[in-house]
Structure formats: structure tokens, C-alpha cells
Amino acid sequence: LNDNVNRYYFGSIAGIISGGAAIQNVTASLSFSDGTQGSINGSIAYDKGIALGGIVGFIAKTYANVYDALSCVNFNLNLNSACEVSVGGIIGSGYTRNYNGNKTSQLENRGSIVINSGASATNLYASGIIAHQLGMQDEVTLFNNIGDITLNSTGTANTYVSGISNVD
């Protein structure tokens, strides 16, 4: 990815969802790598940076939900960016809610996340389920992460790493 990426969302099922959408009963298994091009290097994307998720990259402010999902997606990233980066085993970044009685629930991650960061990203979020949960309506339940998270960083970013979720 080059500089000045306007918006960048990656999800093996959907890059972005909104408007009360729901992703349900899905399984994803693949490997995501920034390849031999060097590194992810973007200036702005969703609101603040780049959102990558094993199932969905970004859930917009109009809320949506993901339930009954299994991710076996492996991320291997070299970050060289001064923007915010969120990498989640299920959801990269966004807002969740209860939709038609279905909560953001029953999420399992079995994939690994490896991040090599040499930049001073504004914020770096990594988590097995939801890397950066911006807000929620109602409850979120039944999360299971058995994937590994490895972070090698020489930058001075604000770094948030959790097995399940980093919540604002």
C-alpha cells in the first residue's frame, strides 16, 4: 500500500459494513500479508487509519453486528505508517450493536497476528477478537481467542494489545 491511501479496510468477508447489516454463520481461513512490497504505509483511512479484520475490517457508525463467526485468518504485517492501525482476529475497528435480537456474539479466532512495526503510528491496536471497539449498544458476549499475537516494535506508538478487545 502506498502513501495517501484514502480509505483502507480489509476483511475476508467484508471490508466495511453499516446500516444495521449483519454477518452471521461464517468461517474464514486465509493468510494476509503485506507481501514483498515493503510495508503498509498509509496516511488516512477509516476515520483515523487502517482497519484489518479476519471477518470484517470496519463497522461504520450506523452500527451492525457479527455473530456466530470463526476466523482462522493469519496476519503477517510490516507497518511503516504514521496513522492509526487496527488489526483484529474478527473485527478491525468499529461499532457493534444488538440487531434484531442478535448480539455481536459467538466469535472465535484461531488465527495468528504478527506485526513488525518500525514506525511511530498514532495508535496501534491488536486483538484476537475486536482490535478497536469504538462503541457498543447492548452487550457483546461469548468470545474465544486461541490465536497468538506477536508484536515487534521499535516505534513509539501508543500500543494497545489484548486477547479479546480494546474498547473506547
Side-chain angles (χ1 to χ4, degrees):
L1 301 175
N2 296 322
D3 284 335
N4 301 316
V5 170
N6 189 17
R7 284 185 161 58
Y8 186 76
Y9 319 111
F10 168 82
S12 61
I13 303 298
I16 182 173
I17 60 174
S18 65
I23 293 177
Q24 64 183 7
N25 302 320
V26 297
T27 299
S29 180
L30 57 91
S31 293
F32 179 92
S33 175
D34 52 3
T36 59
Q37 298 298 317
S39 62
I40 290 179
N41 188 4
S43 58
I44 58 171
Y46 64 96
D47 289 336
K48 301 175 185 176
I50 296 166
L52 310 166
I55 300 296
V56 64
F58 181 64
I59 300 176
K61 287 184 181 180
T62 53
Y63 297 93
N65 70 354
V66 179
Y67 59 98
D68 194 13
L70 169 63
S71 174
C72 299
V73 176
N74 296 308
F75 289 95
N76 188 3
L77 307 170
N78 295 301
L79 302 178
N80 186 19
S81 179
C83 69
E84 185 168 292
V85 177
S86 299
V87 183
I90 302 288
I91 299 168
S93 184
Y95 303 81
T96 61
R97 76 170 192 153
N98 180 335
Y99 180 68
N100 285 340
N102 296 308
K103 296 176 173 70
T104 296
S105 66
Q106 299 177 339
L107 306 179
E108 182 171 351
N109 176 50
R110 296 181 188 172
S112 64
I113 298 171
V114 177
I115 300 173
N116 298 301
S117 177
S120 298
T122 305
N123 291 304
L124 173 59
Y125 296 90
S127 178
I129 304 295
I130 304 171
H132 190 195
Q133 189 165 359
L134 300 172
M136 74 177 112
Q137 190 177 61
D138 299 314
E139 63 186 75
V140 292
T141 60
L142 302 172
F143 294 166
N144 185 35
N145 175 45
I146 57 174
D148 293 327
I149 300 171
T150 304
L151 175 63
N152 302 303
S153 177
T154 58
T156 57
N158 296 318
T159 303
Y160 308 93
V161 178
S162 75
I164 299 297
S165 182
N166 297 299
V167 181
D168 274 356

